[in-house]
Amino acid sequence: MARWGGRRKSPRVTQGVRGYTLRGRAGRITYVGISNDPYRRAGEHGMDGKRGKLRVETPAMSRSEARQWEAGRLAAYRRNHSGKNPRHNKTRSGGWKS
């Protein structure tokens, strides 16, 4: 197994980007996103006050495929929730720029 700095690399980190959802206490989706390390991203969400359970929804894929998945997932969410995004998603596309 590869080593860096005397520690083993995390087995959960794999090549590619994964799609994930963050769900609140009632199991409702509060955020839809993509990341090359969703577990690190969950910690970042926690520091921003976005609490909940992270669920990885997709296998590893290319960034362009992941962006398509994210846009489709957000569009489906809006269709079922009167055109509104999940609570913590700010842009229509899911990206960080509007």
Side-chain angles (χ1 to χ4, degrees), residues 1 7-16 18 35-43 54 56 60:
M1 184 168 259
R7 293 179 50 180
R8 289 184 179 191
K9 283 189 173 182
S10 171
R12 64 184 178 209
V13 178
T14 61
Q15 295 254 322
R18 295 174 183 264
S35 177
N36 61 347
D37 188 351
Y39 301 99
R40 172 193 46 85
R41 188 72 177 111
L54 182 129
V56 176

mmCIF file of all heavy atoms in Angstrom, residues 1 7-16 18 35-43 54 56 60:
data_model
loop_
_atom_site.group_PDB
_atom_site.id
_atom_site.type_symbol
_atom_site.label_atom_id
_atom_site.label_comp_id
_atom_site.label_asym_id
_atom_site.label_seq_id
_atom_site.Cartn_x
_atom_site.Cartn_y
_atom_site.Cartn_z
ATOM 1 N N MET A 1 0.844 -1.174 0.000
ATOM 2 C CA MET A 1 0.000 0.000 0.000
ATOM 3 C C MET A 1 0.891 1.240 0.000
ATOM 4 O O MET A 1 1.916 1.269 0.653
ATOM 5 C CB MET A 1 -0.908 -0.037 1.225
ATOM 6 C CG MET A 1 -1.901 1.100 1.261
ATOM 7 S SD MET A 1 -3.165 0.831 2.496
ATOM 8 C CE MET A 1 -4.454 0.276 1.431
ATOM 9 N N ARG A 7 2.219 7.588 7.033
ATOM 10 C CA ARG A 7 0.849 7.109 7.246
ATOM 11 C C ARG A 7 0.315 6.483 5.972
ATOM 12 O O ARG A 7 0.668 6.887 4.875
ATOM 13 C CB ARG A 7 -0.052 8.274 7.645
ATOM 14 C CG ARG A 7 0.295 8.841 8.995
ATOM 15 C CD ARG A 7 -0.585 9.996 9.357
ATOM 16 N NE ARG A 7 -1.984 9.631 9.162
ATOM 17 C CZ ARG A 7 -2.985 10.448 9.398
ATOM 18 N NH1 ARG A 7 -2.765 11.648 9.843
ATOM 19 N NH2 ARG A 7 -4.224 10.069 9.196
ATOM 20 N N ARG A 8 -0.564 5.538 6.124
ATOM 21 C CA ARG A 8 -1.190 4.929 4.954
ATOM 22 C C ARG A 8 -2.212 5.889 4.374
ATOM 23 O O ARG A 8 -2.864 6.629 5.099
ATOM 24 C CB ARG A 8 -1.889 3.638 5.335
ATOM 25 C CG ARG A 8 -0.940 2.545 5.676
ATOM 26 C CD ARG A 8 -1.687 1.281 5.943
ATOM 27 N NE ARG A 8 -0.727 0.240 6.256
ATOM 28 C CZ ARG A 8 -1.041 -1.026 6.337
ATOM 29 N NH1 ARG A 8 -2.277 -1.402 6.159
ATOM 30 N NH2 ARG A 8 -0.123 -1.911 6.607
ATOM 31 N N LYS A 9 -2.373 5.804 3.055
ATOM 32 C CA LYS A 9 -3.409 6.604 2.408
ATOM 33 C C LYS A 9 -4.772 6.065 2.803
ATOM 34 O O LYS A 9 -4.945 4.871 3.019
ATOM 35 C CB LYS A 9 -3.268 6.558 0.895
ATOM 36 C CG LYS A 9 -2.169 7.425 0.359
ATOM 37 C CD LYS A 9 -2.262 7.476 -1.141
ATOM 38 C CE LYS A 9 -1.280 8.474 -1.692
ATOM 39 N NZ LYS A 9 -1.402 8.576 -3.141
ATOM 40 N N SER A 10 -5.739 6.950 2.869
ATOM 41 C CA SER A 10 -7.091 6.550 3.227
ATOM 42 C C SER A 10 -7.658 5.616 2.158
ATOM 43 O O SER A 10 -7.599 5.923 0.981
ATOM 44 C CB SER A 10 -7.972 7.794 3.348
ATOM 45 O OG SER A 10 -9.311 7.423 3.491
ATOM 46 N N PRO A 11 -8.221 4.477 2.545
ATOM 47 C CA PRO A 11 -8.760 3.555 1.555
ATOM 48 C C PRO A 11 -10.023 4.082 0.884
ATOM 49 O O PRO A 11 -10.406 3.608 -0.160
ATOM 50 C CB PRO A 11 -9.061 2.303 2.377
ATOM 51 C CG PRO A 11 -9.265 2.792 3.752
ATOM 52 C CD PRO A 11 -8.351 3.984 3.898
ATOM 53 N N ARG A 12 -10.671 5.078 1.465
ATOM 54 C CA ARG A 12 -11.922 5.566 0.899
ATOM 55 C C ARG A 12 -11.715 6.548 -0.249
ATOM 56 O O ARG A 12 -12.638 6.877 -0.952
ATOM 57 C CB ARG A 12 -12.779 6.197 1.983
ATOM 58 C CG ARG A 12 -12.149 7.414 2.595
ATOM 59 C CD ARG A 12 -12.985 7.936 3.726
ATOM 60 N NE ARG A 12 -12.297 9.081 4.296
ATOM 61 C CZ ARG A 12 -12.369 9.458 5.515
ATOM 62 N NH1 ARG A 12 -13.107 8.786 6.349
ATOM 63 N NH2 ARG A 12 -11.726 10.506 5.953
ATOM 64 N N VAL A 13 -10.510 7.054 -0.424
ATOM 65 C CA VAL A 13 -10.231 7.997 -1.489
ATOM 66 C C VAL A 13 -9.899 7.225 -2.759
ATOM 67 O O VAL A 13 -8.984 6.422 -2.772
ATOM 68 C CB VAL A 13 -9.058 8.936 -1.122
ATOM 69 C CG1 VAL A 13 -8.744 9.876 -2.266
ATOM 70 C CG2 VAL A 13 -9.386 9.713 0.135
ATOM 71 N N THR A 14 -10.668 7.442 -3.819
ATOM 72 C CA THR A 14 -10.428 6.778 -5.089
ATOM 73 C C THR A 14 -10.358 7.813 -6.193
ATOM 74 O O THR A 14 -10.747 8.956 -6.004
ATOM 75 C CB THR A 14 -11.557 5.787 -5.413
ATOM 76 O OG1 THR A 14 -12.779 6.506 -5.502
ATOM 77 C CG2 THR A 14 -11.660 4.702 -4.370
ATOM 78 N N GLN A 15 -9.869 7.410 -7.334
ATOM 79 C CA GLN A 15 -9.795 8.298 -8.487
ATOM 80 C C GLN A 15 -11.202 8.603 -8.975
ATOM 81 O O GLN A 15 -12.054 7.739 -8.993
ATOM 82 C CB GLN A 15 -9.005 7.615 -9.590
ATOM 83 C CG GLN A 15 -7.570 7.379 -9.234
ATOM 84 C CD GLN A 15 -6.676 8.344 -9.969
ATOM 85 O OE1 GLN A 15 -6.923 8.636 -11.100
ATOM 86 N NE2 GLN A 15 -5.666 8.830 -9.307
ATOM 87 N N GLY A 16 -11.430 9.837 -9.383
ATOM 88 C CA GLY A 16 -12.719 10.219 -9.944
ATOM 89 C C GLY A 16 -13.528 11.065 -8.983
ATOM 90 O O GLY A 16 -13.157 11.294 -7.839
ATOM 91 N N ARG A 18 -17.369 11.844 -7.271
ATOM 92 C CA ARG A 18 -18.608 11.161 -6.876
ATOM 93 C C ARG A 18 -19.686 12.181 -6.563
ATOM 94 O O ARG A 18 -19.415 13.257 -6.058
ATOM 95 C CB ARG A 18 -18.365 10.301 -5.645
ATOM 96 C CG ARG A 18 -17.411 9.172 -5.904
ATOM 97 C CD ARG A 18 -17.085 8.440 -4.618
ATOM 98 N NE ARG A 18 -16.113 7.405 -4.853
ATOM 99 C CZ ARG A 18 -16.428 6.128 -5.062
ATOM 100 N NH1 ARG A 18 -17.670 5.748 -5.037
ATOM 101 N NH2 ARG A 18 -15.480 5.251 -5.277
ATOM 102 N N SER A 35 -17.850 15.758 -5.410
ATOM 103 C CA SER A 35 -16.526 15.953 -4.824
ATOM 104 C C SER A 35 -15.636 14.776 -5.175
ATOM 105 O O SER A 35 -16.127 13.656 -5.344
ATOM 106 C CB SER A 35 -16.635 16.077 -3.305
ATOM 107 O OG SER A 35 -15.357 16.195 -2.725
ATOM 108 N N ASN A 36 -14.323 15.032 -5.259
ATOM 109 C CA ASN A 36 -13.396 13.925 -5.453
ATOM 110 C C ASN A 36 -13.088 13.237 -4.127
ATOM 111 O O ASN A 36 -12.504 12.166 -4.111
ATOM 112 C CB ASN A 36 -12.110 14.386 -6.147
ATOM 113 C CG ASN A 36 -11.364 15.418 -5.348
ATOM 114 O OD1 ASN A 36 -11.895 15.994 -4.389
ATOM 115 N ND2 ASN A 36 -10.139 15.682 -5.743
ATOM 116 N N ASP A 37 -13.487 13.829 -3.011
ATOM 117 C CA ASP A 37 -13.349 13.216 -1.683
ATOM 118 C C ASP A 37 -14.562 13.613 -0.834
ATOM 119 O O ASP A 37 -14.510 14.556 -0.050
ATOM 120 C CB ASP A 37 -12.052 13.656 -1.017
ATOM 121 C CG ASP A 37 -11.772 12.899 0.276
ATOM 122 O OD1 ASP A 37 -12.652 12.150 0.745
ATOM 123 O OD2 ASP A 37 -10.671 13.069 0.820
ATOM 124 N N PRO A 38 -15.694 12.917 -1.005
ATOM 125 C CA PRO A 38 -16.924 13.291 -0.304
ATOM 126 C C PRO A 38 -16.802 13.295 1.221
ATOM 127 O O PRO A 38 -17.464 14.088 1.886
ATOM 128 C CB PRO A 38 -17.944 12.252 -0.751
ATOM 129 C CG PRO A 38 -17.386 11.636 -1.974
ATOM 130 C CD PRO A 38 -15.906 11.787 -1.893
ATOM 131 N N TYR A 39 -15.946 12.445 1.782
ATOM 132 C CA TYR A 39 -15.834 12.371 3.239
ATOM 133 C C TYR A 39 -15.119 13.597 3.799
ATOM 134 O O TYR A 39 -15.492 14.119 4.844
ATOM 135 C CB TYR A 39 -15.159 11.068 3.632
ATOM 136 C CG TYR A 39 -15.950 9.896 3.119
ATOM 137 C CD1 TYR A 39 -15.581 9.242 1.954
ATOM 138 C CD2 TYR A 39 -17.120 9.488 3.757
ATOM 139 C CE1 TYR A 39 -16.341 8.193 1.450
ATOM 140 C CE2 TYR A 39 -17.881 8.447 3.266
ATOM 141 C CZ TYR A 39 -17.489 7.808 2.113
ATOM 142 O OH TYR A 39 -18.241 6.787 1.617
ATOM 143 N N ARG A 40 -14.129 14.098 3.075
ATOM 144 C CA ARG A 40 -13.486 15.363 3.457
ATOM 145 C C ARG A 40 -14.500 16.494 3.317
ATOM 146 O O ARG A 40 -14.616 17.354 4.166
ATOM 147 C CB ARG A 40 -12.278 15.639 2.554
ATOM 148 C CG ARG A 40 -11.680 17.035 2.756
ATOM 149 C CD ARG A 40 -10.707 17.435 1.659
ATOM 150 N NE ARG A 40 -11.173 17.165 0.309
ATOM 151 C CZ ARG A 40 -11.955 17.987 -0.410
ATOM 152 N NH1 ARG A 40 -12.369 19.125 0.092
ATOM 153 N NH2 ARG A 40 -12.318 17.662 -1.635
ATOM 154 N N ARG A 41 -15.277 16.443 2.236
ATOM 155 C CA ARG A 41 -16.279 17.484 1.982
ATOM 156 C C ARG A 41 -17.340 17.494 3.081
ATOM 157 O O ARG A 41 -17.828 18.562 3.459
ATOM 158 C CB ARG A 41 -16.915 17.240 0.612
ATOM 159 C CG ARG A 41 -17.813 18.348 0.165
ATOM 160 C CD ARG A 41 -17.023 19.581 -0.216
ATOM 161 N NE ARG A 41 -17.924 20.601 -0.703
ATOM 162 C CZ ARG A 41 -18.190 21.747 -0.058
ATOM 163 N NH1 ARG A 41 -17.587 22.029 1.057
ATOM 164 N NH2 ARG A 41 -19.041 22.613 -0.556
ATOM 165 N N ALA A 42 -17.683 16.335 3.618
ATOM 166 C CA ALA A 42 -18.652 16.281 4.713
ATOM 167 C C ALA A 42 -18.141 17.058 5.915
ATOM 168 O O ALA A 42 -18.899 17.784 6.568
ATOM 169 C CB ALA A 42 -18.928 14.828 5.100
ATOM 170 N N GLY A 43 -16.859 16.928 6.210
ATOM 171 C CA GLY A 43 -16.262 17.691 7.307
ATOM 172 C C GLY A 43 -16.321 19.180 7.041
ATOM 173 O O GLY A 43 -16.583 19.973 7.946
ATOM 174 N N LEU A 54 -24.138 12.333 5.223
ATOM 175 C CA LEU A 54 -23.716 12.322 3.834
ATOM 176 C C LEU A 54 -23.920 10.929 3.258
ATOM 177 O O LEU A 54 -23.572 9.936 3.892
ATOM 178 C CB LEU A 54 -22.244 12.714 3.720
ATOM 179 C CG LEU A 54 -21.740 12.774 2.280
ATOM 180 C CD1 LEU A 54 -21.045 14.084 2.045
ATOM 181 C CD2 LEU A 54 -20.833 11.615 1.996
ATOM 182 N N VAL A 56 -23.111 8.900 -0.316
ATOM 183 C CA VAL A 56 -22.514 8.869 -1.653
ATOM 184 C C VAL A 56 -23.511 8.161 -2.571
ATOM 185 O O VAL A 56 -23.941 7.051 -2.297
ATOM 186 C CB VAL A 56 -21.151 8.153 -1.647
ATOM 187 C CG1 VAL A 56 -20.596 8.047 -3.052
ATOM 188 C CG2 VAL A 56 -20.179 8.892 -0.747
ATOM 189 N N ALA A 60 -17.368 6.421 -8.828
ATOM 190 C CA ALA A 60 -16.423 7.405 -9.342
ATOM 191 C C ALA A 60 -16.639 7.587 -10.838
ATOM 192 O O ALA A 60 -16.884 6.628 -11.561
ATOM 193 C CB ALA A 60 -14.999 6.950 -9.066
#
